[in-house]
Amino acid sequence: MSLHEDAVLVLKAYEDQPELRDLYLEHLAAHPDGVYKPCGAGHVTGSALVIDPARGRVLLTLHKKLGMWLQMGGHCEPGDRSLAEVALREAREESGIASGVTLLDGGPVRLDRHAIPAPCHWHLDVQYAALAPAGAVAEISEESLDLRWFPYEEVAAVADTSVVRLLEATLARLGG
C-alpha cells in the first residue's frame, strides 16, 4: 500500500472534524502527489504531540523557521509507508528520544490545516499523540531553536490554539 492510499484510508476512518477531513480527502483525490512537499496545492504532513502523562507534561519544540512552540512534525518522505509512521519518525527525530516513544492508540487525534509561504500553500497536518517512555530525556535537533517540557497548564501561555486543541483532544482520549 502506498503512503497516499494509507492517508486516504486513515482519513476515511477519522470521524471527527468532518468538514476538514473531507477537504483533505478532496485534496488527495485531486492530487496523487498530495502527501509530498513538491505538491504546490498543499501537502499532507504528520505530527505528534509527545506527552508524559505520568508527569502531566508535554514536549514542545521551538521551531527554527517559525519561532513558535509546536508539537513535533514534518513532511512525508518517499520511504514512509503510513501517516502513523511519519508522525512517529518526526516525534523521535525532533525529540531526540530514540527509543520507547509510541503512538497513542486510536489513530489521529486531530487535523489542522494551516497556510504556509509559497511555493506551496497549505499544510494539511494529521496530528497524533505520542507517549514518552518513563524517564525520557529529550535532546534538541537541528530543526529546533529549543526543546522543553511544559506542564499541561502552561501550554496555552506558550503555544498557539492548534497545539492547545491538540493537547485537549489528547487528554480527552487519555480519559483525563
Side-chain angles (χ1 to χ4, degrees), residues 74-173:
H75 296 103
C76 300
E77 296 178 1
D80 293 327
R81 296 173 304 212
S82 70
L83 289 178
E85 185 178 289
V86 172
L88 189 56
R89 175 180 49 76
E90 290 290 340
R92 289 176 178 157
E93 287 176 0
E94 293 186 8
S95 72
I97 305 170
S99 63
V101 177
T102 58
L103 291 182
L104 185 62
D105 289 338
V109 177
R110 284 191 44 81
L111 304 176
D112 182 69
R113 178 178 179 249
H114 48 272
I116 59 170
C120 188
H121 300 292
W122 297 99
H123 273 178
L124 309 175
D125 196 27
V126 180
Q127 301 176 327
Y128 291 78
L131 301 173
V137 176
E139 185 176 312
I140 195 166
S141 76
E142 296 175 2
E143 297 180 40
S144 301
L145 293 172
D146 198 359
L147 188 66
R148 193 177 309 160
W149 290 101
F150 290 93
Y152 298 156
E153 60 275 5
E154 291 181 16
V155 172
V158 298
D160 71 1
T161 305
S162 172
V163 177
V164 173
R165 288 183 180 151
L166 177 56
L167 174 58
E168 290 168 350
T170 299
L171 294 175
R173 186 172 290 179

